[in-house]
Each structure stands twice: as structure tokens, then as C-alpha cells.
Amino acid sequence: AEEVGGGDKEVVREYFNSTGFERWRKIYGETDEVNRVQKDIRVGHAKTVEKTMLMLTEEGSLDGVTVCDAGCGTGLLSIPLAKEGAIVSASDISAAMAKQQLGGENLPRFEVNDLESLSGKYNTVVCLDVLIHYPQNKADGMIAHLASLAEKRVILSFAPKTFYYDILKRIGELFPGPSKATRAYLHAEADVERALGKVGWKISKRGLITTQFYFSRLIEAVPM
Ligand code: SAM
């Protein structure tokens, strides 16, 4: 697998094992210990998970379907996938995030792993809200690698560059502080489309999720 270059990945790993873990554990949790902005992001993210589940299930039952949830965080997508009968391989670069996952009936298989190191073949590969941590030149390789793991479809979400100026202001409130780890990268849909195209994949479905402080472009891609 192509290595995601130097700094970014180590900084992201460190962030999600420390301050980022605390922040996102709260946002992805259920308690009231969140501020207004975090609450809004929680709602937006829940919509992304819901839309992803819809995109997946409208193509047929997930029973017995292999799904790779790359950068699974606290497992908010992996759990409903497993409930639908999918055989879920969930992994995250952060040990702290991966340890947060809840139990369930048909348990997903969770592991600590960066997505660049994943191998094997899955019917479906999903990667939600991970690309925001990487600039497009790194994202290209990540997208290519995710596509190489997938047989039928890839589902990705990312913060769309269309809302650049609008979002920039809000990101300031969202990720305060000087730490490089807190940088958020926006991606132009055309750039993601081009990265997929280079490895023989095309976008087949598009969705957009917006709340006041959360913007996410959701796409499904299939082999050309
Ligand atoms: N996908 C989850 C969800 O939607 O609930 C979590 C999204 S969270 C904003 C981003 C996650 O990506 C974090 O848990 C972080 O540790 C993980 N991550 C960042 N870079 C990664 C990489 N290179 N490989 C695997 N996971 C990564």
C-alpha cells in the first residue's frame, strides 16, 4: 500500500489518541456534555450514518455481505451494519477510538489499523468523515487503496469544498487552537471523482448532508 506521507498521519493518530479522542467521544456519544456546535455536529453525523445505511440497503439485503468500515471511530456505522447482518471488519488508526465500541448481537470485528495497511477484499468498503483529516494529495492514494479493497462499491464522505468560505469560519469555532492536528481539509467533488476515475471507478450516487456546522458530501462509487 502507498504510504500516506510523513507528518499528517502521525499527527492525526496522536490527535485521535488524545485531545481528539476526548472531543469526538463526546460528540459521538449520547450524553449532554456537549456544546451547541458539538450537538449540531452529532446530529449531522447521525444523518450521514442514516443516509449511508439507506444507500447500502436500497441495493438489497446486507445479510452475509462483507463490509470494511475504514476509520470506524467509535463504531457508529459498524453497529447498525452488523445489526443488518453484514460481516463487518471495522478498523481505526486510533486505539482509543477503537476501544470505545459498543457490544451487539452479531459483533463487528474491530481492530486498530490505519486504512493504508488494510488488505483483503470486501464486497463494500465504507470510509466516513476520515478524508477531512488529509489534504487532497494524500487523499488520492487513500481513495485508490480503498477502491482496491472493494469488489462492488465504495462509500465515502468528505467535507465539500463548495462551502469553503462558509465552512472556514465555522471550522475556526470547531477546531480551535494552534495544533496542526486540528486542521480540517475540504475536498472538491471533482478531485474525488478524478481520484476514483484514475483507478477505474465512477460515482453512482450522491448525497449531501448539512446542518448548521456540519457539511458532508456522501458518494457511492462502483467499478466503471
Ligand atoms: N468513520 C467514523 C464515523 O463516521 O463515525 C469516525 C469518523 S472520525 C471524524 C475520523 C476517524 O478517522 C477517527 O476515528 C480517526 O482515528 C480515524 N482515522 C484518521 N486517519 C485514519 C487513517 N489513516 N486510517 C484509519 N483511520 C483513520
Side-chain angles (χ1 to χ4, degrees), residues 44-75:
H45 175 265
K47 287 190 191 178
T48 297
V49 170
E50 199 179 310
K51 253 196 182 148
T52 302
M53 288 303 294
L54 269 173
M55 268 191 184
L56 287 167
T57 51
E58 72 190 5
E59 299 299 325
S61 166
L62 288 176
D63 202 21
V65 173
T66 51
V67 181
C68 167
D69 184 7
C72 63
T74 57

PDB file of all heavy atoms in Angstrom, residues 44-75:
ATOM      1  N   GLY A  44     -25.677  16.090  12.613  1.00  0.00           N
ATOM      2  CA  GLY A  44     -25.269  15.985  11.211  1.00  0.00           C
ATOM      3  C   GLY A  44     -24.641  14.636  10.916  1.00  0.00           C
ATOM      4  O   GLY A  44     -24.983  13.975   9.931  1.00  0.00           O
ATOM      5  N   HIS A  45     -23.748  14.209  11.785  1.00  0.00           N
ATOM      6  CA  HIS A  45     -23.081  12.929  11.587  1.00  0.00           C
ATOM      7  C   HIS A  45     -24.068  11.762  11.629  1.00  0.00           C
ATOM      8  O   HIS A  45     -23.972  10.825  10.829  1.00  0.00           O
ATOM      9  CB  HIS A  45     -21.975  12.748  12.638  1.00  0.00           C
ATOM     10  CG  HIS A  45     -21.325  11.418  12.562  1.00  0.00           C
ATOM     11  ND1 HIS A  45     -21.711  10.356  13.338  1.00  0.00           N
ATOM     12  CD2 HIS A  45     -20.330  10.949  11.766  1.00  0.00           C
ATOM     13  CE1 HIS A  45     -20.977   9.302  13.037  1.00  0.00           C
ATOM     14  NE2 HIS A  45     -20.133   9.638  12.092  1.00  0.00           N
ATOM     15  N   ALA A  46     -25.044  11.861  12.529  1.00  0.00           N
ATOM     16  CA  ALA A  46     -26.058  10.798  12.615  1.00  0.00           C
ATOM     17  C   ALA A  46     -26.826  10.697  11.295  1.00  0.00           C
ATOM     18  O   ALA A  46     -27.169   9.607  10.840  1.00  0.00           O
ATOM     19  CB  ALA A  46     -27.009  11.066  13.782  1.00  0.00           C
ATOM     20  N   LYS A  47     -27.051  11.859  10.661  1.00  0.00           N
ATOM     21  CA  LYS A  47     -27.741  11.859   9.359  1.00  0.00           C
ATOM     22  C   LYS A  47     -26.880  11.172   8.293  1.00  0.00           C
ATOM     23  O   LYS A  47     -27.389  10.497   7.405  1.00  0.00           O
ATOM     24  CB  LYS A  47     -28.035  13.289   8.902  1.00  0.00           C
ATOM     25  CG  LYS A  47     -29.149  13.962   9.666  1.00  0.00           C
ATOM     26  CD  LYS A  47     -29.490  15.266   8.949  1.00  0.00           C
ATOM     27  CE  LYS A  47     -30.414  16.130   9.786  1.00  0.00           C
ATOM     28  NZ  LYS A  47     -30.710  17.409   9.113  1.00  0.00           N
ATOM     29  N   THR A  48     -25.563  11.396   8.368  1.00  0.00           N
ATOM     30  CA  THR A  48     -24.661  10.758   7.407  1.00  0.00           C
ATOM     31  C   THR A  48     -24.718   9.230   7.564  1.00  0.00           C
ATOM     32  O   THR A  48     -24.779   8.499   6.573  1.00  0.00           O
ATOM     33  CB  THR A  48     -23.215  11.265   7.608  1.00  0.00           C
ATOM     34  OG1 THR A  48     -23.196  12.666   7.342  1.00  0.00           O
ATOM     35  CG2 THR A  48     -22.236  10.571   6.683  1.00  0.00           C
ATOM     36  N   VAL A  49     -24.711   8.782   8.804  1.00  0.00           N
ATOM     37  CA  VAL A  49     -24.793   7.332   9.058  1.00  0.00           C
ATOM     38  C   VAL A  49     -26.112   6.787   8.517  1.00  0.00           C
ATOM     39  O   VAL A  49     -26.145   5.762   7.828  1.00  0.00           O
ATOM     40  CB  VAL A  49     -24.660   7.034  10.577  1.00  0.00           C
ATOM     41  CG1 VAL A  49     -24.987   5.579  10.876  1.00  0.00           C
ATOM     42  CG2 VAL A  49     -23.251   7.383  11.057  1.00  0.00           C
ATOM     43  N   GLU A  50     -27.194   7.533   8.785  1.00  0.00           N
ATOM     44  CA  GLU A  50     -28.516   7.099   8.340  1.00  0.00           C
ATOM     45  C   GLU A  50     -28.578   7.012   6.810  1.00  0.00           C
ATOM     46  O   GLU A  50     -29.078   6.032   6.249  1.00  0.00           O
ATOM     47  CB  GLU A  50     -29.526   8.130   8.851  1.00  0.00           C
ATOM     48  CG  GLU A  50     -30.962   7.687   8.902  1.00  0.00           C
ATOM     49  CD  GLU A  50     -31.835   8.812   9.453  1.00  0.00           C
ATOM     50  OE1 GLU A  50     -31.489   9.380  10.516  1.00  0.00           O
ATOM     51  OE2 GLU A  50     -32.817   9.134   8.790  1.00  0.00           O
ATOM     52  N   LYS A  51     -28.055   8.048   6.132  1.00  0.00           N
ATOM     53  CA  LYS A  51     -28.065   8.061   4.662  1.00  0.00           C
ATOM     54  C   LYS A  51     -27.208   6.947   4.092  1.00  0.00           C
ATOM     55  O   LYS A  51     -27.517   6.362   3.056  1.00  0.00           O
ATOM     56  CB  LYS A  51     -27.563   9.408   4.147  1.00  0.00           C
ATOM     57  CG  LYS A  51     -28.673  10.248   3.579  1.00  0.00           C
ATOM     58  CD  LYS A  51     -28.199  11.404   2.711  1.00  0.00           C
ATOM     59  CE  LYS A  51     -29.429  12.179   2.255  1.00  0.00           C
ATOM     60  NZ  LYS A  51     -29.194  13.596   2.074  1.00  0.00           N
ATOM     61  N   THR A  52     -26.102   6.676   4.759  1.00  0.00           N
ATOM     62  CA  THR A  52     -25.225   5.587   4.310  1.00  0.00           C
ATOM     63  C   THR A  52     -25.957   4.258   4.397  1.00  0.00           C
ATOM     64  O   THR A  52     -25.909   3.445   3.461  1.00  0.00           O
ATOM     65  CB  THR A  52     -23.951   5.554   5.177  1.00  0.00           C
ATOM     66  OG1 THR A  52     -23.301   6.815   5.074  1.00  0.00           O
ATOM     67  CG2 THR A  52     -23.002   4.453   4.729  1.00  0.00           C
ATOM     68  N   MET A  53     -26.645   4.053   5.507  1.00  0.00           N
ATOM     69  CA  MET A  53     -27.403   2.806   5.677  1.00  0.00           C
ATOM     70  C   MET A  53     -28.467   2.683   4.581  1.00  0.00           C
ATOM     71  O   MET A  53     -28.684   1.597   4.041  1.00  0.00           O
ATOM     72  CB  MET A  53     -28.047   2.745   7.073  1.00  0.00           C
ATOM     73  CG  MET A  53     -27.068   2.521   8.212  1.00  0.00           C
ATOM     74  SD  MET A  53     -26.052   1.022   8.056  1.00  0.00           S
ATOM     75  CE  MET A  53     -27.295  -0.279   8.200  1.00  0.00           C
ATOM     76  N   LEU A  54     -29.105   3.803   4.233  1.00  0.00           N
ATOM     77  CA  LEU A  54     -30.116   3.791   3.174  1.00  0.00           C
ATOM     78  C   LEU A  54     -29.497   3.432   1.829  1.00  0.00           C
ATOM     79  O   LEU A  54     -30.010   2.594   1.093  1.00  0.00           O
ATOM     80  CB  LEU A  54     -30.791   5.159   3.071  1.00  0.00           C
ATOM     81  CG  LEU A  54     -32.040   5.363   3.916  1.00  0.00           C
ATOM     82  CD1 LEU A  54     -32.502   6.807   3.834  1.00  0.00           C
ATOM     83  CD2 LEU A  54     -33.151   4.421   3.447  1.00  0.00           C
ATOM     84  N   MET A  55     -28.371   4.104   1.502  1.00  0.00           N
ATOM     85  CA  MET A  55     -27.679   3.826   0.235  1.00  0.00           C
ATOM     86  C   MET A  55     -27.335   2.348   0.125  1.00  0.00           C
ATOM     87  O   MET A  55     -27.441   1.756  -0.940  1.00  0.00           O
ATOM     88  CB  MET A  55     -26.363   4.614   0.171  1.00  0.00           C
ATOM     89  CG  MET A  55     -26.470   5.962  -0.479  1.00  0.00           C
ATOM     90  SD  MET A  55     -24.795   6.625  -0.767  1.00  0.00           S
ATOM     91  CE  MET A  55     -25.231   8.244  -1.418  1.00  0.00           C
ATOM     92  N   LEU A  56     -26.888   1.779   1.259  1.00  0.00           N
ATOM     93  CA  LEU A  56     -26.467   0.387   1.250  1.00  0.00           C
ATOM     94  C   LEU A  56     -27.650  -0.560   1.135  1.00  0.00           C
ATOM     95  O   LEU A  56     -27.637  -1.495   0.329  1.00  0.00           O
ATOM     96  CB  LEU A  56     -25.673   0.073   2.525  1.00  0.00           C
ATOM     97  CG  LEU A  56     -24.263   0.649   2.591  1.00  0.00           C
ATOM     98  CD1 LEU A  56     -23.695   0.541   3.996  1.00  0.00           C
ATOM     99  CD2 LEU A  56     -23.357  -0.076   1.603  1.00  0.00           C
ATOM    100  N   THR A  57     -28.696  -0.319   1.923  1.00  0.00           N
ATOM    101  CA  THR A  57     -29.785  -1.294   1.985  1.00  0.00           C
ATOM    102  C   THR A  57     -30.723  -1.203   0.788  1.00  0.00           C
ATOM    103  O   THR A  57     -31.401  -2.171   0.467  1.00  0.00           O
ATOM    104  CB  THR A  57     -30.590  -1.144   3.301  1.00  0.00           C
ATOM    105  OG1 THR A  57     -30.973   0.227   3.460  1.00  0.00           O
ATOM    106  CG2 THR A  57     -29.757  -1.573   4.496  1.00  0.00           C
ATOM    107  N   GLU A  58     -30.755  -0.049   0.110  1.00  0.00           N
ATOM    108  CA  GLU A  58     -31.663   0.040  -1.045  1.00  0.00           C
ATOM    109  C   GLU A  58     -31.193  -0.840  -2.212  1.00  0.00           C
ATOM    110  O   GLU A  58     -31.940  -1.097  -3.136  1.00  0.00           O
ATOM    111  CB  GLU A  58     -31.891   1.500  -1.484  1.00  0.00           C
ATOM    112  CG  GLU A  58     -30.722   2.162  -2.158  1.00  0.00           C
ATOM    113  CD  GLU A  58     -30.942   3.672  -2.338  1.00  0.00           C
ATOM    114  OE1 GLU A  58     -31.952   4.211  -1.849  1.00  0.00           O
ATOM    115  OE2 GLU A  58     -30.082   4.303  -2.973  1.00  0.00           O
ATOM    116  N   GLU A  59     -29.968  -1.298  -2.141  1.00  0.00           N
ATOM    117  CA  GLU A  59     -29.460  -2.213  -3.182  1.00  0.00           C
ATOM    118  C   GLU A  59     -29.747  -3.672  -2.840  1.00  0.00           C
ATOM    119  O   GLU A  59     -29.385  -4.567  -3.595  1.00  0.00           O
ATOM    120  CB  GLU A  59     -27.951  -2.037  -3.365  1.00  0.00           C
ATOM    121  CG  GLU A  59     -27.527  -0.646  -3.818  1.00  0.00           C
ATOM    122  CD  GLU A  59     -28.114  -0.250  -5.161  1.00  0.00           C
ATOM    123  OE1 GLU A  59     -28.260  -1.134  -6.022  1.00  0.00           O
ATOM    124  OE2 GLU A  59     -28.460   0.939  -5.326  1.00  0.00           O
ATOM    125  N   GLY A  60     -30.347  -3.902  -1.682  1.00  0.00           N
ATOM    126  CA  GLY A  60     -30.653  -5.274  -1.278  1.00  0.00           C
ATOM    127  C   GLY A  60     -30.183  -5.538   0.135  1.00  0.00           C
ATOM    128  O   GLY A  60     -29.527  -4.698   0.751  1.00  0.00           O
ATOM    129  N   SER A  61     -30.508  -6.724   0.613  1.00  0.00           N
ATOM    130  CA  SER A  61     -30.186  -7.078   1.996  1.00  0.00           C
ATOM    131  C   SER A  61     -28.677  -7.095   2.227  1.00  0.00           C
ATOM    132  O   SER A  61     -27.894  -7.437   1.348  1.00  0.00           O
ATOM    133  CB  SER A  61     -30.758  -8.461   2.302  1.00  0.00           C
ATOM    134  OG  SER A  61     -30.192  -8.961   3.487  1.00  0.00           O
ATOM    135  N   LEU A  62     -28.289  -6.744   3.441  1.00  0.00           N
ATOM    136  CA  LEU A  62     -26.864  -6.767   3.806  1.00  0.00           C
ATOM    137  C   LEU A  62     -26.483  -8.092   4.470  1.00  0.00           C
ATOM    138  O   LEU A  62     -25.332  -8.280   4.880  1.00  0.00           O
ATOM    139  CB  LEU A  62     -26.545  -5.601   4.752  1.00  0.00           C
ATOM    140  CG  LEU A  62     -26.545  -4.214   4.124  1.00  0.00           C
ATOM    141  CD1 LEU A  62     -26.306  -3.143   5.183  1.00  0.00           C
ATOM    142  CD2 LEU A  62     -25.461  -4.117   3.043  1.00  0.00           C
ATOM    143  N   ASP A  63     -27.446  -8.974   4.577  1.00  0.00           N
ATOM    144  CA  ASP A  63     -27.195 -10.237   5.256  1.00  0.00           C
ATOM    145  C   ASP A  63     -26.051 -11.003   4.580  1.00  0.00           C
ATOM    146  O   ASP A  63     -26.129 -11.319   3.394  1.00  0.00           O
ATOM    147  CB  ASP A  63     -28.486 -11.075   5.246  1.00  0.00           C
ATOM    148  CG  ASP A  63     -28.473 -12.114   6.348  1.00  0.00           C
ATOM    149  OD1 ASP A  63     -27.708 -11.947   7.322  1.00  0.00           O
ATOM    150  OD2 ASP A  63     -29.221 -13.093   6.228  1.00  0.00           O
ATOM    151  N   GLY A  64     -24.983 -11.240   5.328  1.00  0.00           N
ATOM    152  CA  GLY A  64     -23.849 -12.004   4.811  1.00  0.00           C
ATOM    153  C   GLY A  64     -22.907 -11.218   3.908  1.00  0.00           C
ATOM    154  O   GLY A  64     -21.935 -11.764   3.401  1.00  0.00           O
ATOM    155  N   VAL A  65     -23.187  -9.933   3.711  1.00  0.00           N
ATOM    156  CA  VAL A  65     -22.341  -9.101   2.838  1.00  0.00           C
ATOM    157  C   VAL A  65     -21.117  -8.615   3.628  1.00  0.00           C
ATOM    158  O   VAL A  65     -21.251  -8.130   4.749  1.00  0.00           O
ATOM    159  CB  VAL A  65     -23.157  -7.890   2.304  1.00  0.00           C
ATOM    160  CG1 VAL A  65     -22.267  -6.917   1.540  1.00  0.00           C
ATOM    161  CG2 VAL A  65     -24.305  -8.377   1.430  1.00  0.00           C
ATOM    162  N   THR A  66     -19.937  -8.747   3.039  1.00  0.00           N
ATOM    163  CA  THR A  66     -18.724  -8.292   3.741  1.00  0.00           C
ATOM    164  C   THR A  66     -18.557  -6.780   3.565  1.00  0.00           C
ATOM    165  O   THR A  66     -18.597  -6.257   2.451  1.00  0.00           O
ATOM    166  CB  THR A  66     -17.473  -9.008   3.202  1.00  0.00           C
ATOM    167  OG1 THR A  66     -17.451  -8.887   1.774  1.00  0.00           O
ATOM    168  CG2 THR A  66     -17.465 -10.483   3.581  1.00  0.00           C
ATOM    169  N   VAL A  67     -18.373  -6.104   4.689  1.00  0.00           N
ATOM    170  CA  VAL A  67     -18.212  -4.648   4.662  1.00  0.00           C
ATOM    171  C   VAL A  67     -16.976  -4.264   5.475  1.00  0.00           C
ATOM    172  O   VAL A  67     -16.795  -4.718   6.604  1.00  0.00           O
ATOM    173  CB  VAL A  67     -19.444  -3.916   5.252  1.00  0.00           C
ATOM    174  CG1 VAL A  67     -19.249  -2.397   5.177  1.00  0.00           C
ATOM    175  CG2 VAL A  67     -20.729  -4.320   4.542  1.00  0.00           C
ATOM    176  N   CYS A  68     -16.137  -3.443   4.868  1.00  0.00           N
ATOM    177  CA  CYS A  68     -14.972  -2.893   5.563  1.00  0.00           C
ATOM    178  C   CYS A  68     -15.330  -1.466   5.962  1.00  0.00           C
ATOM    179  O   CYS A  68     -15.648  -0.646   5.107  1.00  0.00           O
ATOM    180  CB  CYS A  68     -13.786  -2.905   4.597  1.00  0.00           C
ATOM    181  SG  CYS A  68     -12.377  -1.940   5.162  1.00  0.00           S
ATOM    182  N   ASP A  69     -15.312  -1.183   7.265  1.00  0.00           N
ATOM    183  CA  ASP A  69     -15.565   0.181   7.757  1.00  0.00           C
ATOM    184  C   ASP A  69     -14.201   0.767   8.139  1.00  0.00           C
ATOM    185  O   ASP A  69     -13.688   0.506   9.218  1.00  0.00           O
ATOM    186  CB  ASP A  69     -16.536   0.136   8.942  1.00  0.00           C
ATOM    187  CG  ASP A  69     -16.923   1.528   9.460  1.00  0.00           C
ATOM    188  OD1 ASP A  69     -16.540   2.536   8.828  1.00  0.00           O
ATOM    189  OD2 ASP A  69     -17.605   1.594  10.501  1.00  0.00           O
ATOM    190  N   ALA A  70     -13.626   1.518   7.220  1.00  0.00           N
ATOM    191  CA  ALA A  70     -12.255   2.037   7.395  1.00  0.00           C
ATOM    192  C   ALA A  70     -12.286   3.361   8.141  1.00  0.00           C
ATOM    193  O   ALA A  70     -12.961   4.303   7.712  1.00  0.00           O
ATOM    194  CB  ALA A  70     -11.601   2.210   6.025  1.00  0.00           C
ATOM    195  N   GLY A  71     -11.564   3.450   9.255  1.00  0.00           N
ATOM    196  CA  GLY A  71     -11.616   4.651  10.097  1.00  0.00           C
ATOM    197  C   GLY A  71     -12.941   4.686  10.828  1.00  0.00           C
ATOM    198  O   GLY A  71     -13.661   5.680  10.810  1.00  0.00           O
ATOM    199  N   CYS A  72     -13.263   3.576  11.491  1.00  0.00           N
ATOM    200  CA  CYS A  72     -14.609   3.345  12.042  1.00  0.00           C
ATOM    201  C   CYS A  72     -14.929   4.201  13.250  1.00  0.00           C
ATOM    202  O   CYS A  72     -16.084   4.254  13.685  1.00  0.00           O
ATOM    203  CB  CYS A  72     -14.773   1.882  12.402  1.00  0.00           C
ATOM    204  SG  CYS A  72     -13.632   1.337  13.709  1.00  0.00           S
ATOM    205  N   GLY A  73     -13.933   4.858  13.845  1.00  0.00           N
ATOM    206  CA  GLY A  73     -14.207   5.670  15.026  1.00  0.00           C
ATOM    207  C   GLY A  73     -14.767   4.821  16.152  1.00  0.00           C
ATOM    208  O   GLY A  73     -14.236   3.760  16.466  1.00  0.00           O
ATOM    209  N   THR A  74     -15.878   5.274  16.740  1.00  0.00           N
ATOM    210  CA  THR A  74     -16.470   4.529  17.856  1.00  0.00           C
ATOM    211  C   THR A  74     -17.485   3.488  17.386  1.00  0.00           C
ATOM    212  O   THR A  74     -18.232   2.943  18.184  1.00  0.00           O
ATOM    213  CB  THR A  74     -17.142   5.500  18.851  1.00  0.00           C
ATOM    214  OG1 THR A  74     -18.109   6.273  18.141  1.00  0.00           O
ATOM    215  CG2 THR A  74     -16.122   6.437  19.480  1.00  0.00           C
ATOM    216  N   GLY A  75     -17.548   3.257  16.097  1.00  0.00           N
ATOM    217  CA  GLY A  75     -18.390   2.173  15.592  1.00  0.00           C
ATOM    218  C   GLY A  75     -19.832   2.552  15.318  1.00  0.00           C
ATOM    219  O   GLY A  75     -20.698   1.688  15.222  1.00  0.00           O
TER     220      GLY A  75
END
